[in-house]
Amino acid sequence: MAEAARARPKPTPETQHFWDGTRAGELRLQRCEACAKTYFPPRPFCPACGSREVSVFKASGKGKLYSYIIHHRPAPGFTPPYSIAVVELDEGPRLMTNIVDCPQTPEALTLDMPVEVKFEKLDEQITLPLFRPAKG
């Protein structure tokens, strides 16, 4: 029997720019033109001031490991152990993701360690932004 697949996000009109970006190998964020706040997740208005004057820009894809857990139970599309993490991007917002390309141990996953985005293509529509320890 085939292993169950990882759940696929469902893009909406408000998030389509984000998923178009990941498919193109870019991490795209939004910035409010009224108050200059950069935010995530995508939405058509600024969560700080409510302005609808927002723009989309290509983020650096760099950040630091803010928090995580190491999950040891199987889940569809995952082989334990695997991390469920929050990364704080250099631009400010935090996002939930997985840390890959390193041992899934407390010794390897240190808080505040520099990380960088790594894109994982699930299918023709969805590419996920995962993170790995920064090189260099």
Side-chain angles (χ1 to χ4, degrees), residues 95-112:
L95 60 91
M96 187 171 278
T97 185
N98 301 111
I99 306 297
V100 296
D101 296 346
C102 74
Q104 301 294 291
T105 65
E107 293 77 23
L109 298 169
T110 59
L111 296 181
D112 294 328

Side-chain angles (χ1 to χ4, degrees), residues 71-113:
H71 198 63
H72 293 276
R73 295 185 54 115
F78 293 90
T79 302
Y82 58 93
S83 62
I84 302 169
V86 176
V87 165
E88 184 172 83
L89 300 172
D90 285 354
E91 293 81 4
R94 295 177 185 151
L95 60 91
M96 187 171 278
T97 185
N98 301 111
I99 306 297
V100 296
D101 296 346
C102 74
Q104 301 294 291
T105 65
E107 293 77 23
L109 298 169
T110 59
L111 296 181
D112 294 328
M113 81 174 183

Side-chain angles (χ1 to χ4, degrees), residues 5-20 22-23 40-42 76-78 95-98 119-130:
R6 182 177 183 147
R8 297 317 199 241
K10 290 186 171 64
T12 65
E14 293 81 14
T15 64
Q16 190 63 55
H17 72 273
F18 177 80
W19 297 111
D20 290 344
T22 59
R23 197 169 55 246
F40 185 87
F78 293 90
L95 60 91
M96 187 171 278
T97 185
N98 301 111
F119 295 101
E120 181 180 300
K121 182 177 180 177
L122 295 184
D123 56 37
E124 293 304 314
Q125 286 75 42
I126 299 296
T127 299
L128 296 176
L130 305 178

